[in-house]
Amino acid sequence: MLVSDFEKAQGHWILARMGKKVLRPGGRVLTQKLVSGLHISNSDDVVEFAPGLGFTAGLALAKHPHSYIGVDADEEAIALLHKRINGDNIDFQLGNAASTHIENNSKDKVYGEAMLTMHADHRKSEIIKEAYRILKKGGLYAIHELGLKDVDEAKKSEVQRDLALSIKVNARPLTEEEWKALLEKEGFRIKNVYTNKMSLLETKRVIEDEGFFRSLKIGWNILIHPAARKRITEMYRVFKKHKEHMNSIVIIAEKI
Ligand SMILES: C[S@@+](CC[C@H](N)C(=O)[O-])C[C@H]1O[C@@H](n2cnc3c(N)ncnc32)[C@H](O)[C@@H]1O
C-alpha cells in the first residue's frame, strides 16, 4: 500500500495516497445500499473481505454487530486498520479472502467491495466459495464491484486492457448477468441488485463521496504531485472513454 513509485503503483493506492477514502466504483451511495441490504443487527457475526482503508467497516460497525472480522491481503492496510479501529469482538486479519481461517457455517453476513474485480474469474469463484463456506445457511453475502454493459467480447477485452494499463491492476469487470451467474454457480440465491454509474473520478461524485473540504484537499494533493497527477489523468481518460460500457454493481445474495 506504500506508494513509493507513482508510475507503477496500483491506481486505488495512488488515490488513497491523495486522500481519497471511498475507493469503490459505485461510491458512497452504493455502499450505503450494500450496508442497508445486509440488515446488520447486534446478533450478527460479520466478515468483510478486503476492508482496505476501513470506510465500510465503520458503517458496518455502527450497526453494533456481535462480531466483525476484516480480512485483507495488504499488510499495511491491516496495520492501519488495527490502529484506527478497535473494540471488543473486532479483528483485522492479514490473509487471502479465498482461504480464511474462519470456521465453516459460522457467520451471518459477509461482504466485500472492489476486490473480486481484481481477480481472474476462477479466483473470483474461490473467494465466493469461501464466503459460502463460512456463512450460515440463510446468511447474506454482498458484493460491490465494477460492471460492464452493452459489450461484446471485443469491447470487453478492450475495456479490460485499458483498465489494466491505467490502474495497473488486472481488472476483470463482468456484466450483471455474469456477476449473478458466478454467485449462483456457488449456491447463492440473488436477493437484490443495485447499479450506479462508474464515475469514481468525476467531480460531482468525488464531492458526494468525500465531502467538499476533503475534495479540495484531494485536488490540492493531486496538483502538487505531478507523477500522481499523470496517473490519475490517465485513469480518468480511460473511465471516460469507456463510460457507456462500465457501471458499478451491488448484489446481495443469500446462502441457500
Ligand atoms: C480497491 S481496494 C478496495 C478496498 C475497500 N474494499 C474499498 O472498497 O475501499 C482493494 C483491496 O482489496 C484487497 N484484496 C484484493 N484481493 C484480496 C484477497 N484475495 N484477499 C484479501 N484482500 C484482498 C487489497 O489488499 C486492497 O486492500
Side-chain angles (χ1 to χ4, degrees):
M1 167 187 183
L2 241 187
V3 178
S4 49
D5 183 345
F6 281 112
E7 263 181 48
K8 293 192 189 134
Q10 296 186 326
H12 50 276
W13 293 139
I14 294 184
L15 296 175
R17 175 72 197 283
M18 295 298 106
K20 200 155 175 9
K21 289 193 165 164
V22 177
L23 302 174
R24 66 295 311 266
R28 192 185 279 267
V29 169
L30 271 203
T31 291
Q32 270 154 355
K33 289 197 172 152
L34 175 145
V35 173
S36 58
L38 281 172
H39 300 290
I40 297 173
S41 74
N42 54 14
S43 62
D44 280 345
D45 292 308
V46 176
V47 172
E48 178 170 8
F49 289 162
L53 302 177
F55 179 82
T56 309
L59 299 180
L61 287 167
K63 309 272 178 197
H64 305 290
H66 177 251
S67 72
Y68 168 96
I69 298 176
V71 181
D72 200 290
D74 190 285
E75 208 172 332
E76 287 167 67
I78 290 293
L80 191 101
L81 288 162
H82 274 300
K83 260 194 230 154
R84 276 193 190 158
I85 305 176
N86 296 292
D88 291 341
N89 293 329
I90 299 176
D91 191 17
F92 291 102
Q93 302 178 355
L94 179 65
N96 182 350
S99 54
T100 68
H101 300 289
I102 298 168
E103 264 178 59
N104 289 348
N105 311 310
S106 60
K107 302 295 172 191
D108 302 283
K109 311 281 158 71
V110 176
Y111 67 91
E113 296 174 284
M115 59 88 66
L116 290 174
T117 305
M118 303 171 71
H119 297 280
D121 291 357
H122 67 284
R123 295 254 176 261
K124 290 181 177 74
S125 291
E126 287 169 10
I127 295 168
I128 296 169
K129 276 193 177 84
E130 184 67 356
Y132 190 87
R133 183 186 72 72
I134 65 177
L135 273 171
K136 297 175 188 165
K137 195 173 164 201
L140 299 182
Y141 177 41
I143 66 168
H144 176 178
E145 297 292 338
L146 196 55
L148 289 175
K149 53 186 178 117
D150 307 323
V151 289
D152 55 17
E153 280 309 309
K155 179 54 78 182
K156 193 172 170 179
S157 306
E158 186 191 336
V159 173
Q160 290 178 346
R161 192 191 55 238
D162 285 353
L163 284 174
L165 288 173
S166 68
I167 61 178
K168 312 278 184 220
V169 170
N170 245 340
R172 293 275 180 271
L174 298 175
T175 63
E176 179 175 327
E177 290 316 309
E178 288 170 329
W179 280 120
K180 290 200 287 201
L182 218 52
L183 290 161
E184 284 167 344
K185 184 159 71 76
E186 304 310 334
F188 285 101
R189 184 176 66 84
I190 307 300
K191 277 191 68 173
N192 313 93
V193 179
Y194 307 102
T195 57
N196 197 4
K197 285 186 194 153
M198 164 52 192
S199 41
L200 185 70
L201 295 180
E202 280 172 26
T203 312
K204 183 169 170 277
R205 171 73 72 78
V206 175
I207 294 172
E208 244 172 58
D209 283 350
E210 311 289 344
F212 182 69
F213 291 106
R214 175 165 280 277
S215 301
L216 279 184
K217 190 165 170 243
I218 295 169
W220 173 252
N221 286 339
I222 295 174
L223 206 68
I224 61 171
H225 286 92
R229 190 165 70 239
K230 190 167 166 229
R231 286 288 310 281
I232 293 169
T233 309
E234 180 54 17
M235 286 190 254
Y236 180 79
R237 192 190 67 75
V238 167
F239 293 166
K240 201 164 174 197
K241 174 179 172 196
H242 295 300
K243 125 172 170 217
E244 299 307 320
H245 300 286
M246 291 201 306
N247 67 0
S248 47
I249 182 162
V250 160
I251 303 180
I252 319 258
E254 181 183 358
K255 173 169 172 175
I256 46 173

